Amino acid sequence: MAQNKTIPVNVGVILDDLNSRNGKIWLSCIKMALSDFYASHANYKTRLVLNTRDSKQNVVGAAKAAVDLIKNAEVQAILGPVTSMQAGFLINLGDQVHVPIISFSATSPSLNSLQSSYFFQFAQNDSSQVKALSAIVKAFGWRQVVPVYIDNEFGEGVIPFLTDALEEVDACVPYRSAISPSATDVQILEELYKLMTMQTRVFIVHMRTDLSSRLFAKAREIGMMTEGYVWLTTNGIPNELRYLNASVISSMQGVLGIQTYVPQTVKLEEFMPRWKRQFQQDNPTIIDASLDDFGLWAYDSAFALAMAIEEVGTATFGFQKTNASFNSAVLESFEVSKYGPELCQALSITRFEGIAGDFSLVDGQLQSSNFEIVNINGGGARVIGFWTPQNGLVKILGSSANSSIFSTPKSKLGLGPIIWPGDSLSVPKGWENPTNGKKLRIGVPVKDGFTELVKVTKDPSTNMTDVTGFSIDVFKAAVEMLPYALPYEFIPFAKSDGTSAGTYNDLIYQIYLGKFDAVVGDTTIRGNRSLYADFTMPYTESGVVMVVPVIDMRNQNAWVFLKPLTWDLWLTTCCFSSSLLVLWFGFWSIESMKTSVALHHIKLAPVSGERVVSNLARFVMVIWVFVMLILTQSYTASLASLLTVQQLQPTVSDIKDVLRNGDNVGYAENTHIYELLKLVGFDDSKIKMFRSFEECDELLSKGSANGGISAAVDETPSMKLFLAKYCTKYTMIGPIFKAAGFGFAFPKRSPLIPDLSRAVLNVTEGEVIMNIEKKWFSVEKNCVDNSSPKVASYSLGLASFWGLFLIAGVASILALIICVASFLHKHRHILMHPDDSRASGWRRIRAMFKMFNEKEHSSRMFKSPQERDGIAGAGDEVNAAASPNNNWPESPRSYISNHTDFAEQATPSTGQVSPEIVSAVDHEHAITIARTC
């Protein structure tokens, strides 16, 4: 009675082969899902009626089956087809007749691009697993990956997503290996041999097990399942591993795979034995059947469809006439399902806990779930970790992102133990030298100058090329630090005549063209070059500098002794010196208060040697002595610096000065400096090229005015090398432009770059780079610091002092003239005395000379202290007592008192000798001398 009240609803089922194992398993899951659904919902009014069709494993068969189901059976929905290619055709048909197409096995991401509201992908989209694969690649640091996929819609659909995911983790796809579904074993071998000739050793396989079984068998046959190789697979292979025989599994030892994770719920554990009993009863000839993920999704798909149809209502499902027709000359017009849109809406919001996990759709797709990471060893797959959309790679499902695989080094990834191909426990580095025996072809620049950096010589007898230089030694030292051997050969970038084949940009571009595997030399890391190649870490200082001539700024003029003090200090010193007389008068005034009775005449104490008694006088004299001491010492130090220290200063200090002055500038041949100079604003006529250090020195020596250059511009290492030879003539200014330094160039995303960059850092951080620099950058003994103006000590010359000697000489001669003139004027009566006719003119001159000589020797300067003390007068005795070390020459008054008897006639009150007495004594003494002569 109840059964008569139910409403039958026709639905279609399209499978590849109803008589195959998979066909029978999937159909049994669909039937069991409907049985379970209506058993638990007996009060529901609708009942699905299955209409099964066989697609014959091709697109045409699937299309024919779908047309038959829609036109003749009037199905409201279709479960299937199996493959993505078949689904792509049925999607268009479903859009036309408003019949939902529900696939539980078509996984290609390309199906989403059709943007059909009547297509539902109840299988896990292949694009969801590319994140898991890229996470593994990133975790192990592999830089290049080659996808190996089946050449059809199933294989090609995932490649764009896989490539994007790999690029996000800095891994590139240098090659794509597409294998036809109908490829023979010979064709598979040819493709594998091609892969062996590449550096990359990491491969991602995306194909069905029928083709992958043959692929791995041939790979093992030619030695590609040995140590050093990495094979990753998408979930299509591990999911069906249970169906493969032992020989196939044995050829896959060491493979890492992605496997769909199905949580072991109570519902699933209850379902599995029940399904197995039912399937065994219906198919007694199939032994040990097992359920795969597609069977679980088939069960959930049928369950969801039954829920959605019940949700639409109990009205009679059917089709109505429409003017719309399918766009094909072969197919007839179709009627449109009346409840198609409502059924699609009901399917979109269906939520329940299925046997494969939580069932929910996002834009018609089954929401992505977790994946297991499995390692194929022995007779099956072993789970070593998980990947979740929320936390990425984790060891234990449900752990937080803090325990992610990325937080640990390779040796402690947190995964279970991995056995790689060849039963190796060591993580493969992901690349090897090509097995065809070729060495790395390394291009090196050829140039005439700057051979200390790179020098290419060819032996004409043996035709062997030898490459040496600073850059070459750094590269060799870095290669020696690699944990593996790296065979290579240097190939000069030269023409047939041995000259350079182009610029450095041309040399780097050869890597992009595939003519070189790397470039080693003084190659600057630049932005435009990084478009065609990648560089290692720089191994030299960065920056572009300018070398210019230097001039000696030492003062060589005759008035250099005036330079230590400024004009205001000289003026102040002169003013203080002029006030010295006042100071002397102050001394005398202070001292005279205490010693005026004892003094016979005025003597300035500090100058004449008198002892200073007054504290006030001492205070004044100490201050003056302190000032003069500081001034004298400062003057001496400044003058010594001006005269003895070489001060070399650059002729120009900025590249803009060279441009503003209209001078010429030079650059090294075939370098990028020419482009920089053009950007600054230099005209071609002002830019000159040099090919060697010697030519650069010659141009700088000439100067811009004589057809040379005012400055040379190049990279810092090159200019340091130049200054090592010519440090006394030039200096380095800058850096005037930013630059990244010299680096080694390799193809884009080359796996060698990380290892060589680490090796370069180890070389430049230790003593190795210092030894290499000493070998090639030999510095002259008088070149200490090439980056700053030179400072050296020199002996003094007459050129700096002849002005001072001139002043002293003129002053001395002038004083002598004044002294002689004064003496002759004072004693002119001796020469012109009329009373003594016996003395001739010559005798008178001799008498004058003898008198002058005796007068000088009788002065205090030429007497001993005892003699001076014995002839001193009373006033002098007082002074002698006060100043026992008095060595000053005696005064004319002392001379008179010591050498004549007229001193006794001094006036008692004043102690002075009259002028008349002095004149008479001198006159008489002169006549006596003249007569004697």
Side-chain angles (χ1 to χ4, degrees), residues 261-269 272 296 353 355-357 372:
Y261 172 72
V262 178
Q264 296 298 314
T265 61
V266 175
K267 189 174 183 179
L268 178 62
E269 292 178 354
M272 291 298 291
L296 299 179
E353 183 181 352
I355 60 174
E372 294 176 328

Side-chain angles (χ1 to χ4, degrees), residues 816-885:
L816 179 61
I817 292 174
I818 294 174
C819 178
V820 172
S822 176
F823 179 80
L824 293 176
H825 177 74
K826 184 177 181 180
H827 300 287
R828 65 185 181 279
H829 57 277
I830 299 177
L831 295 175
M832 298 180 299
H833 199 282
D835 298 335
D836 192 2
S837 59
R838 294 175 296 175
S840 63
W842 173 245
R843 287 185 176 181
R844 291 176 184 273
I845 293 174
R846 290 179 60 187
M848 287 290 290
F849 178 77
K850 188 173 182 180
M851 182 178 179
F852 182 82
N853 187 43
E854 289 181 355
K855 180 178 180 180
E856 291 300 318
H857 281 282
S858 63
S859 66
R860 289 175 60 96
M861 182 177 296
F862 295 98
K863 288 182 177 290
S864 64
Q866 292 79 7
E867 292 174 332
R868 288 198 299 269
D869 293 341
I871 63 175
D876 289 338
E877 290 175 358
V878 175
N879 289 337
S883 181
N885 296 322

Side-chain angles (χ1 to χ4, degrees), residues 32-42 44 299 303 306-307 310:
M32 198 167 185
L34 297 179
S35 176
D36 293 343
F37 178 80
Y38 293 120
S40 58
H41 303 88
Y44 281 9
Y299 180 97
F303 201 92
M307 291 182 63
E310 181 67 25

Side-chain angles (χ1 to χ4, degrees), residues 37 58 101 104 107 170 183 237 247 257 323 409 413 436 466 532 534 579 678 712 751 780 821 826 864 869-870 884 903:
F37 178 80
N58 58 70
I101 307 298
F104 54 84
T107 59
D170 295 327
I237 297 174
S247 62
N323 294 328
L413 285 172
N436 54 11
D466 185 29
Y532 309 106
D534 283 343
S579 65
K678 292 290 292 182
E780 295 181 0
K826 184 177 181 180
S864 64
D869 293 341

